[in-house]
Amino acid sequence: MLTAPGKSNGKTGTKILLDAISKDKVHLARFVLDALDGEIVDSKTEGAQTPLISSVLLPDAQARCKFAELLLHRGASVNCRDGNGRTALSSPPLFLSSGVLALSVVLAEQEGENLSGLSNNPDKAIFAVRENGTTCLMVEFAVKFLVPYDVLALNGIDLITEQASFTLPRSAEIEGKCGSTESEIHITWKNNAYILRIYFSKEFRDKGIEVWKISKVQFVYDTSETSHFINAYNPGKHTASTHRLSALVTPAGRSYVCTAQQTLTLISSDHQKGITVSMYDIQIQPFDIASDFMFSEPYKCITDQRERLEETLPLILGLILGLIIVIILTIYHFHLKLTAAQPQLPRDRSMYKNM
């Protein structure tokens, strides 16, 4: 398992990453970048080549595009130079027709827009990421954070744990990246004291069904920010992340909708504390948005479907019971009519003699 950053870890991670690129192992490359939080994305080899330059020099066109897109999404710089003064953009293979995809990722103009003013809900934020003037990712939700932190006890020796509770402000700033199989959105506020990063990915499941999901959530927070962290002990920045996340799984081409609360637990670098991130009133779509600023067909979460069934079940049962009563009364009414129409036979046996 790759551990926290350091010079030796960085060199080892770079070597593993370059080996994964040369052997077309994209899953291993993604794992290394995740494990080291992207620190090695611009690290250089002995020949001063960055992973991005190495990727665009691969002989296979598909591999070039695949690894270039992965590295660019992780923030790789196209301006880093190798020992000969060349950058990734000046490497000849990138300008071949087979490298158009990688080049388009570099040149795509992506910008974030805060549309929270369109919501009547004071707790709900609406964010969009646009690429070349077209919406490629939209998020609409309310988010609440519960963050434990240490404070010094009154005796000045012991530490006690307090809880900071706060919500995602509608005035937050955003940026994001869109790709064909990976997208992400970064939400920041309080001068980067808080950063919420959400990563999305596409994959194929059983029977060839394509879905998208949240593959990772990362939250950076600064306990020296005193509006939420009061008298924090040893204040500073910490990073909390999920582990092997597969959340909000949704069929490709549709948006995820859920009114009910969805809770994620992140493990913090601050002594492995558990950070709770709760999302509700959600509508999210990170891929395949057909119309600008418009979500595609909704896919409702299981919780909402159950709640709707619980709301409608008493009504359905009432209608069925009412129908049964009507049927019984109708049968009884016809029974009375049939009984009244039949001739009545005398009950006194002596009367049969006169018949």
Side-chain angles (χ1 to χ4, degrees):
M1 175 82 185
L2 293 173
T3 56
K7 287 188 177 179
S8 60
N9 283 336
K11 289 181 180 178
T12 303
T14 302
K15 184 178 179 181
I16 297 173
L17 176 61
L18 293 172
D19 187 60
I21 292 173
S22 65
K23 295 179 179 178
D24 197 13
K25 295 181 178 180
V26 68
H27 294 294
L28 177 58
R30 187 180 292 113
F31 171 78
V32 174
L33 290 169
D34 286 341
L36 296 176
D37 290 329
E39 286 192 358
I40 60 171
V41 72
D42 282 328
S43 58
K44 294 184 178 181
T45 63
E46 295 179 358
Q49 282 190 352
T50 65
L52 181 59
I53 294 175
S54 297
S55 70
V56 299
L57 292 174
L58 291 171
D60 182 73
Q62 289 186 347
R64 281 203 300 272
C65 294
K66 184 166 51 180
F67 284 103
E69 185 173 359
L70 171 65
L71 292 165
L72 289 165
H73 276 195
R74 299 306 172 92
S77 173
V78 297
N79 296 315
C80 289
R81 298 183 180 275
D82 64 10
N84 296 319
R86 296 180 304 177
T87 67
L89 288 175
S90 61
S91 300
L94 191 63
F95 291 97
L96 300 176
S97 59
S98 57
V100 170
L101 173 61
L103 183 59
S104 66
V105 174
V106 177
L107 298 179
E109 182 183 351
Q110 296 179 338
E111 57 182 353
E113 293 199 25
N114 189 330
L115 307 174
S116 301
L118 300 176
S119 174
N120 295 324
N121 186 338
D123 297 324
K124 184 184 290 189
I126 306 175
F127 304 123
V129 178
R130 309 187 78 218
E131 181 178 273
N132 295 329
T134 303
T135 306
C136 58
L137 186 157
M138 277 188 71
V139 173
E140 181 176 346
F141 56 12
V143 185
K144 183 177 180 180
F145 302 89
L146 192 62
V147 183
Y149 67 100
D150 293 331
V151 298
L152 201 61
L154 293 176
N155 61 14
I157 300 174
D158 299 325
L159 293 177
I160 58 176
T161 301
E162 297 286 352
Q163 298 277 359
S165 178
F166 49 92
T167 58
L168 174 67
R170 287 158 47 109
S171 58
E173 298 178 356
I174 70 157
E175 60 180 20
K177 298 176 183 178
C178 295
S180 56
T181 58
E182 291 187 346
S183 294
E184 60 192 68
I185 185 169
H186 300 181
I187 306 169
T188 63
W189 63 101
K190 290 279 186 180
N191 295 319
N192 288 331
Y194 304 95
I195 307 172
L196 176 64
R197 301 186 181 108
I198 306 176
Y199 299 87
F200 306 92
S201 64
K202 267 186 178 182
E203 63 182 32
F204 284 94
R205 297 254 169 134
D206 296 338
K207 299 179 181 179
I209 298 175
E210 189 178 24
V211 299
W212 65 261
K213 65 179 182 179
I214 293 180
S215 55
K216 183 180 179 181
V217 175
Q218 190 177 73
F219 180 54
V220 179
Y221 60 99
D222 191 347
T223 54
S224 64
E225 201 283 303
T226 57
S227 62
H228 299 306
F229 299 98
I230 310 300
N231 299 323
Y233 177 76
N234 195 20
K237 278 199 172 184
H238 303 284
T239 301
S241 301
T242 54
H243 179 64
R244 294 184 180 178
L245 183 62
S246 181
L248 279 56
V249 178
T250 304
R254 299 177 67 176
S255 62
Y256 178 89
V257 176
C258 196
T259 303
Q261 180 173 294
Q262 305 291 302
T263 301
L264 302 173
T265 300
L266 286 63
I267 303 303
S268 174
S269 58
D270 180 17
H271 299 91
Q272 301 296 300
K273 289 182 173 64
I275 310 299
T276 301
V277 178
S278 301
M279 302 182 290
Y280 52 96
D281 287 341
I282 308 166
Q283 186 162 14
I284 296 176
Q285 186 172 358
F287 303 101
D288 307 319
I289 295 179
S291 302
D292 209 17
F293 296 120
M294 295 289 291
F295 287 107
S296 299
E297 179 185 357
Y299 175 80
K300 291 191 175 181
C301 63
I302 299 297
T303 309
D304 278 6
Q305 293 177 16
R306 288 175 181 170
E307 289 182 354
R308 186 172 181 180
L309 179 60
E310 290 174 358
E311 290 174 357
T312 57
L313 190 58
L315 178 61
I316 294 172
L317 292 176
L319 290 173
I320 293 173
L321 181 60
L323 183 60
I324 291 172
I325 293 173
V326 170
I327 292 173
I328 292 173
L329 290 176
T330 303
I331 293 173
Y332 180 69
H333 176 71
F334 277 106
H335 174 73
L336 290 179
K337 279 192 171 185
L338 290 173
T339 305
Q342 291 178 354
Q344 298 294 322
L345 298 175
R347 295 185 178 182
D348 188 354
R349 293 176 178 271
S350 63
M351 293 181 66
Y352 285 105
K353 298 179 181 180
N354 300 324
M355 294 177 63

